[in-house]
Amino acid sequence: MLIREAVDTDWPRIWPFWHRIVSGAETYAWDPDTSEGDARVLWMAPGKRVYVAEDATGRVVGSAYVTPNYAGPAAAVANAGFMVDPDHSGRGVGRALAEHVLRTAKADGYRAMVFNAVVETNPAVKLWTSLGFTIVGTIPDAYDHPTRGRVGLHVMHRAL
């Protein structure tokens, strides 16, 4: 698997799984009806470092971004987002992207990473905790999951 910085021409390869994941409304606290144009701005906005994971055939199977979570004196705290094509889940793509992002965020001078709204039923919670993230708080009943009803949103943190 190759992980590299994304370029503008990667977006059409990210959008199909981005749309599938967000419209499913199970793991991301973004509007399931987000248009492609708005999605591109959310994922590929200036100031974000965006990465893609390619399999051996060159197919984009996942993507991640890193951006400051705060500004000014708190700009050393990063935020990140991760998406893996559901057709390629369970193959280590998410872990590889996470390890890459954690390394590069530290090299870029970030001192910590925080996730602001992790749906508590998201299977990635297990991955994040295995990589040293802790749940620093949970906002109860904050997310309307399509099959599980009201569930909490975790705030997760890890020092870099």
Side-chain angles (χ1 to χ4, degrees):
M1 180 178 350
L2 170 69
I3 298 175
R4 61 170 175 79
E5 287 209 46
V7 295
D8 285 337
T9 56
D10 286 318
W11 176 250
R13 298 165 52 183
I14 297 168
W15 166 247
F17 62 83
W18 193 103
H19 177 64
R20 183 174 168 194
I21 291 166
V22 173
S23 68
E26 294 185 2
T27 56
Y28 263 87
W30 288 341
D31 183 351
D33 295 322
T34 302
S35 71
E36 182 176 359
D38 289 345
R40 184 179 187 139
V41 170
L42 281 169
W43 200 257
M44 309 263 308
K48 288 184 175 179
R49 287 191 70 182
V50 182
Y51 302 94
V52 291
E54 293 181 330
D55 67 11
T57 69
R59 178 179 172 158
V60 172
V61 295
S63 184
Y65 70 79
V66 178
T67 191
N69 194 61
Y70 309 109
V77 177
N79 176 258
F82 298 84
M83 288 198 188
V84 173
D85 183 334
D87 293 337
H88 291 79
S89 64
R91 299 180 192 175
V93 177
R95 179 172 294 277
L97 275 168
E99 290 171 348
H100 179 82
V101 164
L102 289 167
R103 276 192 311 275
T104 59
K106 184 175 182 174
D108 287 346
Y110 289 107
R111 298 180 47 84
M113 186 171 287
V114 78
F115 301 144
N116 299 308
V118 180
V119 179
E120 70 182 353
T121 57
N122 186 337
V125 171
K126 184 177 178 182
L127 171 61
W128 305 137
T129 55
S130 77
L131 291 169
F133 283 85
T134 58
I135 297 167
V136 296
T138 302
I139 305 158
D141 299 329
Y143 191 84
D144 189 10
H145 192 282
T147 60
R148 299 185 186 194
R150 304 300 303 184
V151 298
L153 288 173
H154 294 319
V155 177
M156 300 185 77
H157 168 268
R158 180 194 150 157
L160 296 178

